[in-house]
Amino acid sequence: MADKMTALVLTGYPKFELREVPILGISDTQVLVKVHAVAICGSDVAGCLGKTGRRIPPIIMGHEASGEIVALGKNVKGWECGQRVTFDSTEYCGECSFCRRGEINLCSNRRVLGVSCDEYHRNGAMAEYVAVESRTLYAIPDTVTYKEAALTEPLSIGFHAVAISPIKLGDKVLINGCGTIGLMALQSAAANGASRVIACDIDDFRLDIAKKMGATDVVNTSRDDLVRYVAAHTGGEGVDLAFDAVGLDATVNASILCLKKGGCLVCIGNTQPDVKFPLQYCVTRQIRIQGSCASSGEYDRCLAMIASRRVDLSPFLQTELPLFEGESAFNRLINREPSLMKVILTIDQ
């Protein structure tokens, strides 16, 4: 194996260079994965613009990926070279109190692939090879492609949000924001027995996809009043659950106002680090607000959903570009190209 690889490196905001960089050695507990597909996450787009403080250059981004094992650390058991794998974006220690309870997403020593912040720097998968901890690996079913497997990570985010919510059979649900994560949460809510799923966004193209994915109602909030719509279509009560996949003052507040008494808001998106919300309204109506962080070991179930075609990934598989066109792909996403949901970068070796 060569000692260098090609990588897409964020060198400034938002500047990229395709560079030859060293292939770093793996630790005793890691494997080296030859990357075949890596998707661009919305957090990568925000990060490359310098909005989050979590993509400090220079950094190789990328945490939604899949590939093939090409080397094993000496203490790695149960895996072989040549196996097709995807991997959790969260690196967890396995030893802290949270990990021991199975809450690996809350690990006290948590790090995320493709993130560079004040606390740590961890190169990601927008490269020919990436080293990952063997405990984060998941085998790809034979019927699942590398590109589909790369979407396990965003599916797991929506899946986890629904899994930790108090959803019950027959509940009425609001999905606020129909980007990738919102649409994954929508499908997970529908699979968990929601009787009515109201999806809202400001983009008709995304709302059309939401309808195809099982939304019973769609509302364009740039034209219609969401709170009035929900009240009119729930007998004035509101929805049992709201999932906010945006994270802005306007979306969080609207989601709260759409809830019935005793309802629950699950916050997935965090576009703003701080939001204002109607505290008195939440107290007097006994509203529950639940944060949802990443995922926590749900990859196997998500891969099973993909393999059995119980989840529709087709809208996210429409745009595929080679890694060397990565900067162009980012620019298309930054400029909000119409009808562009997702870009998957592929690497042929």
Side-chain angles (χ1 to χ4, degrees):
M1 183 185 298
D3 58 358
K4 290 191 175 182
M5 65 178 180
T6 301
L8 183 68
V9 182
L10 177 72
T11 58
Y13 297 132
K15 297 179 180 179
F16 293 89
E17 289 182 14
L18 209 62
R19 289 182 175 178
E20 291 294 310
V21 300
I23 300 175
L24 299 180
I26 54 175
S27 73
D28 292 346
T29 58
Q30 289 182 325
V31 302
L32 188 66
V33 175
K34 180 168 69 172
V35 179
H36 285 276
V38 54
I40 299 176
C41 176
S43 65
D44 292 324
V45 177
C48 82
L49 293 171
K51 292 181 177 181
T52 65
R54 291 179 60 78
R55 303 294 192 278
I56 300 172
I59 177 70
I60 301 169
M61 296 191 293
H63 57 270
E64 302 176 0
S66 63
E68 173 189 357
I69 297 174
V70 293
L72 304 167
K74 68 178 184 180
N75 293 337
V76 174
K77 307 295 183 184
W79 296 99
E80 298 178 357
C81 288
Q83 279 188 277
R84 301 166 68 245
V85 294
T86 185
F87 35 86
D88 201 321
S89 61
T90 296
E91 290 188 333
Y92 54 94
C93 71
E95 298 175 358
C96 69
S97 61
F98 296 102
C99 286
R100 290 197 299 270
R101 289 202 299 265
E103 296 175 320
I104 59 175
N105 58 321
L106 302 180
C107 173
S108 298
N109 304 296
R110 178 176 183 259
R111 303 201 315 170
V112 181
L113 282 174
V115 166
S116 173
C117 54
D118 291 336
E119 293 79 25
Y120 65 87
H121 179 282
R122 178 59 164 101
N123 280 325
M126 291 184 184
E128 290 182 285
Y129 299 93
V130 63
V132 297
E133 290 293 330
S134 60
R135 66 166 65 97
T136 68
L137 292 174
Y138 292 86
I140 301 174
D142 291 341
T143 57
V144 175
T145 67
Y146 283 119
K147 288 180 288 185
E148 291 170 333
L151 298 174
T152 309
E153 198 273 349
L155 174 59
S156 76
I157 305 301
F159 185 100
H160 177 74
V162 174
I164 64 172
S165 79
I167 192 168
K168 302 183 298 298
L169 187 67
D171 275 353
K172 299 179 181 67
V173 171
L174 171 70
I175 304 292
N176 202 332
C178 292
T180 301
I181 302 302
L183 292 171
M184 298 300 195
L186 185 160
Q187 295 187 80
S188 296
N192 275 271
S195 64
R196 187 164 201 161
V197 181
I198 302 171
C200 67
D201 202 281
I202 59 174
D203 187 325
D204 284 328
F205 173 75
R206 295 185 175 194
L207 291 172
D208 286 343
I209 294 174
K211 192 75 172 176
K212 293 173 183 175
M213 288 184 168
T216 54
D217 306 68
V218 294
V219 181
N220 188 315
T221 52
S222 69
R223 297 193 298 265
D224 300 309
D225 187 301
L226 177 64
V227 178
R228 287 183 181 177
Y229 182 94
V230 170
H233 290 80
T234 58
E237 281 195 343
V239 295
D240 300 280
L241 278 165
F243 295 88
D244 187 282
V246 184
L248 295 171
D249 279 331
T251 61
V252 170
N253 279 269
S255 296
I256 289 172
L257 295 176
C258 286
L259 288 168
K260 65 171 20 175
K261 292 179 181 179
C264 176
L265 167 64
V266 180
C267 297
I268 315 172
N270 57 352
T271 302
Q272 290 177 209
D274 299 289
V275 298
K276 294 180 180 179
F277 70 96
L279 176 60
Q280 188 177 64
Y281 184 90
C282 291
V283 171
T284 58
R285 293 173 68 87
Q286 200 165 296
I287 299 297
R288 171 180 168 184
I289 299 178
Q290 169 77 56
S292 182
C293 174
S295 62
S296 189
E298 290 101 343
Y299 272 52
D300 274 337
R301 282 170 284 174
C302 291
L303 282 164
M305 289 178 70
I306 295 170
S308 62
R309 307 303 166 189
R310 284 180 290 145
V311 62
D312 181 8
L313 299 181
S314 59
F316 314 112
L317 297 167
Q318 301 303 309
T319 306
E320 172 189 337
L321 293 170
L323 182 68
F324 66 81
E325 292 187 32
E327 184 171 27
S328 171
F330 270 96
N331 286 334
R332 291 170 64 179
L333 290 164
I334 290 168
N335 293 325
R336 297 182 177 273
E337 181 179 308
S339 304
L340 181 63
M341 282 297 301
K342 192 84 170 171
V343 177
I344 296 179
L345 302 175
T346 57
I347 305 170
D348 294 323
Q349 300 178 62

